[in-house]
Amino acid sequence: MEFQNLLYRVENNIAFITINRIPALNALNQQTLDELEVVLIAVKENALVKGAIITGAGEKAFIAGADIKEFIALEHADAKDLSERGHYIFTELIQNSKKTIIAAINGFALGGGLELAMACHMRFASENAKLGLPEVSLGLLPGYGGTQRLTQLVGRGRALQMILTADMITAEEGSRIGLINEVVPADELLDRSVSVLQRIFSRSSTAVAAAIDAVNAFDFGKRTGYEVEIAHFSDLFLTADFKEGVDAFLKKRKPNF
Ligand code: CO8
């Protein structure tokens, strides 16, 4: 598939996904969502890919939200479809990905853009990044999981403050409240994201996938996180990686996963 709004490349086992609509500050229109779905399925299915980084093209924006210009034509049912579609992509293909996905936030991360970043497993931000959920200023509310994920990340009081005021915060403030993992200079953002992924690649990929699943179970409450943790813990006992990891520890050598 030819991409109009995305850049996609795989290098050293990492999929680099760049939202590329600079004139619209990388806003997510339906075409971009279609393309995102295709590349995220590629990330899932390509055995050479062990993790992914999502970022925005240009120096100004990560993603300035859903494309507001497309909202005008939406009927009630379309808006529901669009929200459900976003939920599927963000939850099933990003949050539930067995491979680590990092948001490298290089500028404005607003509305659906911040919601996408929050579905990622980690968020690294450049010093100039600005974060916010401005939906209530459009008469909407965050429709791509933002009410849930922001509350989980920063707690109810701070989430309500951001959502209800619609104000943006700096990357530094985002880091202070737990929304951002680390703030780095803009020209180090991708390198830092790559180095964290490489560290994760040195671990057991089976155990990493199980840990993501267990942490995600905490989110949704359908299964209890403890049950999932116990099930994975016992399942991992049966794997070759577990035997290798324990053997390496006992012999004081590096594990070879
Ligand atoms: N959608 C469409 N176009 C956008 C968007 C957007 N979200 N953001 C920016 N643009 C466009 C502008 O319209 C402008 O285009 P043009 O040159 O044709 O006028 C261009 O990008 C540059 O933007 P500005 O001139 O406004 O740049 P500034 O530096 O002055 O301002 C801001 C930058 C502060 C980021 C400003 O552009 C802004 O406030 N943008 C809107 C941010 C916003 O409200 N985002 C939330 C959108 S709602 C949402 O994400 C809901 C998610 C849930 C959806 C559920 C599905 C139903």
Side-chain angles (χ1 to χ4, degrees), residues 6 17 19 28 32-40 89 116:
L6 284 188
I17 302 167
I19 311 296
L28 295 173
T32 310
L33 283 176
D34 288 344
E35 295 180 4
L36 196 55
E37 183 173 355
V38 170
V39 296
L40 288 167
I89 294 171
L116 184 149

Side-chain angles (χ1 to χ4, degrees), residues 86-111:
H87 270 274
Y88 161 72
I89 294 171
F90 290 13
T91 302
E92 292 308 322
L93 300 179
I94 299 180
Q95 178 161 322
N96 290 346
S97 164
K98 293 182 187 334
K99 302 173 185 180
T100 312
I101 302 183
I102 291 180
I105 302 174
N106 57 312
F108 288 113
L110 302 175

Side-chain angles (χ1 to χ4, degrees), residues 66-125:
D67 192 312
I68 300 169
K69 291 169 187 168
E70 279 189 350
F71 284 177
I72 300 160
L74 296 184
E75 302 284 340
H76 180 266
D78 303 324
K80 187 162 176 278
D81 285 350
L82 194 63
S83 180
E84 280 175 356
R85 182 110 192 292
H87 270 274
Y88 161 72
I89 294 171
F90 290 13
T91 302
E92 292 308 322
L93 300 179
I94 299 180
Q95 178 161 322
N96 290 346
S97 164
K98 293 182 187 334
K99 302 173 185 180
T100 312
I101 302 183
I102 291 180
I105 302 174
N106 57 312
F108 288 113
L110 302 175
L114 182 59
E115 294 179 279
L116 184 149
M118 290 193 290
C120 292
H121 302 121
M122 288 162 221
R123 284 150 294 285
F124 296 96

